Amino acid sequence: MRHKRGLVLNPRDNVANVLEEIRPGETVELRLDTEILSIKATEQIPFGFKMAIADIAVDAPVIKYGEPIGRASQPIERGALVHVHNLAGARGRGDLRTKGEEKL
Amino acid sequence: MEFLGYVRPDGSVGIRNHVLVIPGGLIAEKVCAFVPGTKTIAMARSGGGMTSRDRETIARTFFGLGLNSNVAGVILHSGSPGSGYPELRTERLASEIARSGKPLATLDVDAEGGTLEAITKGVKLARKMVYEASRLRREPVSIGRLSLGIKCGASDPTSGMVGNPVVGYVLDRVVEAGGTAMFGETTELIGAEHIVAKRAVNDRVAEEILQAVGFIEERALATGEDIRTMNPVPENIAAGLSTLEEKSLGAIYKAGRHPIQGVLRYAQRPAAPGLYLVDSWMGPNSIFPGFAASGAQLTLFQYGGGATKRTVLDPSPAVAAPLLWTSANPATYARAKESLDFYSGTVIEGTETLEEAGERLLSLIAEIASGTLTRGETIRYTEPIEAYGIDPLF
């Protein structure tokens, strides 16, 4: 039986991109260069979206391309969907700069 | 690898053979309507009420397009409202374009006796110029004579995974052969600027990269808004990109691996071949004509398109240069097949390696450079353009 596929872009990454629509409970074969990691998805993951390949604690960095792309805003389980509901970007946050000050 | 191009008097090589009538406006449009083989610019800003640095940007855009090696000859008229400013005087623009040695005619609207008379004279000049251009012939030259300008847009996860790396491979090959490549979109370096700065050829260029990114991030912060509500754009998020950092880290793959020789201002021409960052805004109607003014004979749009429904993709806003559309997204390919020049999703599907797709794209570029049309060149439409203005209008 052919497994669904995904890609890990860098050995330091804790997320992978799936290359097809993933249903909960499906095992995804993630390719990192020549290595294959098999991970079971705990929820639905649309084509091209990210799946966690390790548990990620709240405020821990989410790493893709070997670099931080933001921090977990919720605890993230291995196999879970990672997107704006549990991942927060850190740059260009003009909203945080004005936090605590009176908005005009 | 070679292509067939028009060798111009200054040794630069064109992949097309246009006669350019500039600046834009009524006179230029009517001359171009009369004479096939001509092009002009559709741009609302003419320099009026703009700061000197923004007027100089418009001047660079005008004479840069005139200097582009795809342009066989130029007709420069004095009828633009901006031509009263020192940067934009007809004589100044003419002296810049004259450096190329290409056929150049200036059209003094007042001396001709008015608008209609200037149009008549312009038609006579243009007919002669396009006829002479038609007598030029292409000759074989190396792909190292190419200058490419690239942008990624409507990015989705296929952009960072495959689409941009395939373009980066092509840029590497062209730069290795002695050519030039330019990328830009300064906002979308936020989160990846430390990586890009490390690729700078020296400390000065590294500092310029960090300054350009710092300047734009500071402007974003000063708005008091969360940049995630501006860029990534909604269609990036709908397609799976979660943060600006993630978008930027995927975007930089389009620049390949060569050292960055310098940071150019909008429409600034590089002094030597190599890879350059152009400090610019991501809007296609701005960045592509800017690349052409900087000397690019061919522009590329690496398109994600994962959350869009577009079936027809725009012709080139670059005026003097065609636009090649490429995508790695299978859904985009299925939806907009007739508008895409290149599909690299084969690498996602596993039927091609990244290198194989890159070589295939490079071969297509050589064909397009030799005269094969891009899909956009089969549509008659004048894209309005916008030079990159930094300052307010007065």
Side-chain angles (χ1 to χ4, degrees), chain B residues 67-79:
Chain B
L67 286 168
N68 188 293
S69 55
N70 291 344
V71 172
V74 181
I75 297 168
L76 199 48
H77 69 87
S78 66

Side-chain angles (χ1 to χ4, degrees), chain B residues 61 63 111 164 207 242 266 293 361 367 394:
Chain B
T61 304
F63 66 71
N164 290 335
E207 189 50 42
S242 312
Y266 182 88
L361 177 54
E367 279 182 50
F394 297 98

Side-chain angles (χ1 to χ4, degrees), chain B residues 83-154:
Chain B
S83 62
Y85 289 98
E87 299 85 359
L88 291 160
R89 286 179 311 112
T90 310
E91 299 75 29
R92 188 270 166 119
L93 299 177
S95 74
E96 301 285 352
I97 297 170
R99 283 185 228 265
S100 64
K102 69 177 68 173
L104 167 64
T106 51
L107 190 48
D108 183 330
V109 178
D110 294 341
E112 293 303 323
T115 302
L116 295 176
E117 293 79 359
I119 291 169
T120 302
K121 182 65 178 293
V123 165
K124 290 179 181 173
L125 291 168
R127 290 183 70 194
K128 185 165 186 298
M129 241 185 226
V130 301
Y131 172 74
E132 291 299 329
S134 77
R135 302 181 67 218
L136 302 172
R137 294 291 178 263
R138 294 177 182 266
E139 35 185 298
V141 293
S142 156
I143 54 164
R145 307 296 279 280
L146 288 176
S147 170
L148 305 178
I150 50 155
K151 176 193 148 53
C152 57

Side-chain angles (χ1 to χ4, degrees), chain B residues 277-290:
Chain B
L277 168 66
V278 182
D279 185 12
S280 53
W281 173 55
M282 54 96 169
N285 291 48
S286 183
I287 200 172
F288 287 128

